[in-house]
Amino acid sequence: MDDCIFCKIARHEIPSTVVYEDETVIAFEDTNPQVPVHTLIIPKEHYASIASNVPESLLGHIIAVSARVAEIKGVDKTGYRLTTNVGDDGRQTVMHLHVHILGGAQMPIRMGPAD
Ligand code: 5GP
Ligand code: ZN
């Protein structure tokens, strides 16, 4: 995807603060952190979201790497939240599959609709 910002990050065409990288995924810091630890993990290959027929092995790898990233970021003991937004109602703004690792603060309990 030529004009996908996360594809460009995956190809190192635009800068990011990389936390972890291997052949198939890259994790980098969110530029607009919502909590003290806010890191994103993406597959290097473009998929719009988890609803885009992503191979299960790749999904599993992303989740496994999220645990590794949580260790690197020092939130593995205190806890964290994984979130992946899908589509309009999910408030997805970047249409390249990404998992948010959110930590360093207590997450809100409430998970209902926005006011
Ligand atoms: P979404 O709402 O799609 O689940 O989350 C997209 C996330 O990507 C947002 O938290 C936003 O701050 C982050 N983001 C958007 N553009 C960039 C960028 O160019 N670089 C980085 N590192 N994060 C970005
Ligand atoms: Zn992309």
Side-chain angles (χ1 to χ4, degrees), residues 3-112:
D3 56 359
C4 170
I5 194 151
F6 283 2
C7 281
K8 289 179 181 173
I9 286 175
R11 293 194 297 261
H12 296 278
E13 290 172 7
I14 62 171
S16 69
T17 303
V18 176
V19 174
Y20 174 92
E21 181 172 12
D22 64 25
E23 279 187 11
T24 55
V25 304
I26 183 167
F28 53 95
E29 304 293 13
D30 196 297
T31 46
N32 185 24
Q34 303 300 306
V35 281
V37 172
H38 191 166
T39 306
L40 304 172
I41 305 175
I42 66 168
K44 290 185 170 178
E45 190 173 343
H46 182 90
Y47 295 92
S49 77
I50 56 158
S52 303
N53 295 314
V54 187
E56 288 186 13
S57 58
L58 180 55
L59 287 174
H61 185 58
I62 291 168
I63 299 302
V65 165
S66 73
R68 175 78 189 108
V69 170
E71 280 178 22
I72 293 167
K73 295 298 298 179
V75 295
D76 54 312
K77 303 286 192 297
T78 47
Y80 53 93
R81 180 171 287 174
L82 303 183
T83 302
T84 188
N85 297 327
V86 180
D88 282 350
D89 280 357
R91 300 266 178 129
Q92 184 180 4
T93 59
V94 177
M95 298 302 151
H96 180 129
L97 165 60
H98 52 283
V99 172
H100 299 253
I101 299 176
L102 301 158
Q106 286 242 298
M107 296 302 124
I109 297 169
R110 186 173 172 278
M111 295 286 279

